[in-house]
Amino acid sequence: MSHKRMPKRKAAIAVGGVAALGAAALLLPNANASQDPDQATAGGTAGARILKAADASGLAGRLQKILGDAFAGSYYDSGKQQLVVNVVSGDSNVVVQAKKAGAVVRQVDNSMAELKAAARTLKTRATIPGTSWAVDPRTDKVLVTADSTVTGANWNRLRSTVRGLGSGMATLKKSSGTFKTFVSGGDAIFSQVQGGSVRCSLGFNVTASDGSPAFLTAGHCGVAAKKWSDSETGQPIATVDQATFPGEGDFSLVKYDDPNTQAPSEVNAGNGQSVQINQAADATVGETVFRMGSTTGLHDGQVTGLDATVNFQSETDPNGVDTVTGLIQTDVCAEPGDSGGSLFTQDGSALGLTSGGSGDCTSGGETFFQPVTTALQATGATLGGGGGGGGDNGAGDQAGAGDQAGAGDEAGAGAGDQAGAGDQSGAGYQAGAGGDRIGGGADPSGTGAADDGSSSLTDSR
């Protein structure tokens, strides 16, 4: 089928732009904060630098290498625009090094090795459907979450395991929703399977290693169906090339069947607006992020954990568990059909692909995302549109997702910053007038900021 060239968007949010990201967006007041460490220091903390979240991620990666075993995680204080680095060593030289680099230094009790060991214990003793865990550097603990299906003996087992980790090592939280992959509903990309259709959201357009145009979406979407269309009754326009789910990630690479397809490097933010995607970057705990999905549209929130492990109830085995590692945990809402959709920043950094979570965009909940840097590294793809010119791989010094905080056995792999010369899509497909081009998805109707509706508890029910 032919794909019409779309007219240019009426409004596009470029790097540092001041246009709002639809009704759900937060207009970040300090989006253009200086990246030059000599230009500003944060008030109240001598030597601490004012940083963008993306710059904080890069600094965290460098400090992890410098501090070695003394590094115990880091997070971004979005209010003060500072990077906070946890250290476990009382060595004054360690503290001096971190402060000289521009970070706020916080001495904590739990080392990264101890936190990772706790996560391994959870994996061994508490891999229960409806549970997740991730290191939370803001509390210096492992945050363990159980959804509403974890009851009875399973709840007792999980609670006992958390208690066994020792005082001050983990926090147990109860979610009111149910962990699930968001693979149904929506109106972005479709595939016909036995018994009906599968619906997901397109994440980011990329150039495959052979130079052909492709896109990234969730791995559970790629496992569910091989051929994908831009409409529920339309002919397939793309074919799954690689898919990972469950296991070390939730991502798939889907190649457009027409090698001349032009795929813009942007996310459709709805209401005639788009966000130009300039690079792939690693998420930082505490930074503000935006999620676009074909069911609920644009929503925002914060990153709450990295290298998260999630235990989904198996779709094929009532007694089985689909465990996925290396994910980004957030408080952004999502619903069925949002799977595979884009997680990004206001300044145009691609961060993740929607995997799954609990709750909805009325009550809130937790949502987990596949890091884009890991998906690019695993598939050999580069960010940016293919077919009409391709995308280039840019060099960068961003830390991999696993460099920040590990929640399970598997460390999140980072591929560094990647800059695409081509264009990139958001969720789904639109047709305009002109030549062939795949663009952002149908304008979403969902607006409004995400709520965190989960009830929280500490080792009790």
Side-chain angles (χ1 to χ4, degrees):
M1 62 187 290
S2 64
H3 305 293
K4 302 296 185 180
R5 181 176 297 276
M6 291 186 301
K8 289 188 177 292
R9 305 262 189 235
K10 294 180 180 179
I13 301 172
V15 177
V18 296
L21 289 174
L26 299 174
L27 183 59
L28 305 182
N30 297 304
N32 292 315
S34 171
Q35 299 179 47
D36 184 351
D38 295 325
Q39 287 186 12
T41 59
T45 307
R49 306 299 183 183
I50 293 178
L51 298 167
K52 292 182 179 180
D55 300 316
S57 176
L59 177 58
R62 292 191 293 273
L63 283 174
Q64 182 179 12
K65 295 176 182 178
I66 293 171
L67 301 180
D69 292 341
F71 180 85
S74 64
Y75 64 94
Y76 183 62
D77 184 332
S78 58
K80 297 180 179 179
Q81 293 183 284
Q82 297 171 334
L83 175 71
V84 181
V85 174
N86 295 337
V87 298
V88 291
S89 171
D91 186 347
S92 60
N93 183 52
V94 168
V95 175
V96 169
Q97 288 185 76
K99 286 184 176 180
K100 279 186 175 180
V104 176
V105 178
R106 186 177 72 145
Q107 298 209 30
V108 296
D109 295 328
N110 297 324
S111 70
M112 186 58 66
E114 290 171 327
L115 293 169
K116 287 185 175 181
R120 287 194 294 272
T121 299
L122 287 163
K123 180 179 180 181
T124 301
R125 301 179 183 176
T127 298
I128 300 165
T131 61
S132 71
W133 48 83
V135 169
D136 180 3
R138 291 172 296 188
T139 62
D140 187 43
K141 296 179 181 180
V142 177
L143 174 60
V144 183
T145 305
D147 73 12
S148 59
T149 67
V150 182
T151 59
N154 280 341
W155 171 259
N156 293 335
R157 174 179 156 197
L158 179 64
R159 185 171 56 179
S160 175
T161 302
V162 170
R163 285 176 173 171
L165 297 175
S167 176
M169 186 59 67
T171 299
L172 181 58
K173 173 184 176 183
K174 188 71 174 177
S175 172
S176 59
T178 302
F179 288 155
K180 56 185 178 295
T181 53
F182 298 127
V183 74
S184 60
D187 60 1
I189 53 175
F190 300 82
S191 186
Q192 297 299 321
V193 296
Q194 186 175 4
S197 63
V198 176
R199 313 177 193 184
C200 288
S201 295
L202 189 153
F204 298 100
N205 279 327
V206 296
T207 301
S209 59
D210 62 1
S212 61
F215 63 83
L216 294 174
T217 189
H220 62 268
C221 298
V223 169
K226 187 74 171 178
K227 295 282 189 178
W228 290 88
S229 174
D230 59 326
S231 66
E232 190 166 11
T233 58
Q235 293 298 310
I237 62 169
T239 303
V240 174
D241 181 72
Q242 303 176 46
T244 296
F245 179 86
E248 297 178 27
D250 184 4
F251 58 89
S252 58
L253 177 70
V254 187
K255 291 184 177 181
Y256 290 110
D257 296 334
D258 182 355
N260 294 316
T261 298
Q262 297 181 31
S265 185
E266 61 186 30
V267 172
N268 174 16
N271 299 318
Q273 297 180 326
S274 62
V275 178
Q276 300 299 317
I277 299 299
N278 307 289
Q279 62 181 359
D282 298 301
T284 303
V285 171
E287 76 175 307
T288 297
V289 291
F290 298 89
R291 177 201 56 76
M292 184 63 189
S294 60
T295 300
T296 58
L298 187 71
H299 288 269
D300 58 80
Q302 285 195 338
V303 175
T304 59
L306 298 177
D307 206 6
T309 295
V310 186
N311 299 301
F312 296 109
Q313 172 67 58
S314 173
E315 294 289 334
T316 57
D317 180 1
N319 299 314
V321 182
D322 286 338
T323 299
V324 184
T325 61
L327 301 181
I328 302 165
Q329 184 169 345
T330 77
D331 61 8
V332 186
C333 72
E335 295 183 10
D338 289 330
S339 278
S342 319
L343 183 72
F344 58 97
T345 64
Q346 185 179 11
D347 65 1
S349 295
L351 299 181
L353 309 165
T354 306
S355 175
S358 68
D360 53 38
C361 288
T362 299
S363 62
E366 303 84 19
T367 303
F368 300 90
F369 297 83
Q370 164 65 47
V372 167
T373 51
T374 308
L376 292 172
Q377 185 179 59
T379 60
T382 53
L383 193 64
D392 295 328
N393 232 353
D397 57 8
Q398 296 281 0
D403 289 341
Q404 303 243 351
D409 289 344
E410 306 295 337
D417 284 346
Q418 306 220 11
D423 287 326
Q424 174 166 345
S425 161
Y429 166 81
Q430 279 187 335
D436 292 340
R437 181 170 175 176
I438 301 295
D443 286 345
S445 58
T447 57
D451 295 322
D452 188 355
S454 305
S455 58
S456 179
L457 54 88
T458 302
D459 203 29
S460 64
R461 192 179 183 192

